[in-house]
Amino acid sequence: LEDLLEELVGDIVDEYDIESEQVTHLDAETLSVAARMNTDDLAELLGCDLPEGDWDSVGGLLIGLLGHVPSEGESAEVEGHHLVALHVNGRRVDRVAVRKVS
């Protein structure tokens, strides 16, 4: 029942869910961020302005840039940063790698 509700309204967090960290460092130059992280929070973390659109999450931004739900490993560039879909579950992006383009 929870899965059905989540398909309609988005993620529901309860005591049985394991929360993953919003941001982790993959290496000195690359971050792994939760795709549901707010784009304003990511923009503040990166010190840049990210485009606005019909999304409010990093995963939504990546989908908006590509025009479709990405496959794992698919990427896009925005505001001097390279975004890569690290983990995709069905039609939902779960984790995104973010690296500054040099």
Side-chain angles (χ1 to χ4, degrees), residues 4 10 12 17 23 27 30 33 38 43 51 59-60 65-67 72 85 101-102:
L4 178 60
I12 299 171
D17 291 332
V23 179
D27 60 40
T30 309
V33 300
N38 188 286
L65 292 170
L66 294 171
E72 289 182 7
V101 176
S102 48

Side-chain angles (χ1 to χ4, degrees), residues 24-99:
T24 56
H25 290 270
L26 296 178
D27 60 40
E29 299 176 357
T30 309
L31 300 174
S32 169
V33 300
R36 69 174 135 175
M37 180 181 197
N38 188 286
T39 52
D40 292 336
D41 294 338
L42 180 62
E44 184 177 327
L45 180 68
L46 299 175
C48 70
D49 291 324
L50 295 174
E52 294 184 16
D54 292 335
W55 55 79
D56 59 358
S57 68
V58 176
L61 170 63
L62 184 56
I63 290 169
L65 292 170
L66 294 171
H68 62 273
V69 177
S71 301
E72 289 182 7
E74 225 175 323
S75 64
E77 286 190 20
V78 62
E79 298 300 320
H81 291 85
H82 193 72
L83 306 179
V84 181
L86 289 179
H87 187 260
V88 179
N89 187 6
R91 296 193 47 81
R92 179 180 296 168
V93 180
D94 290 328
R95 299 293 297 179
V96 176
V98 180
R99 179 183 200 120

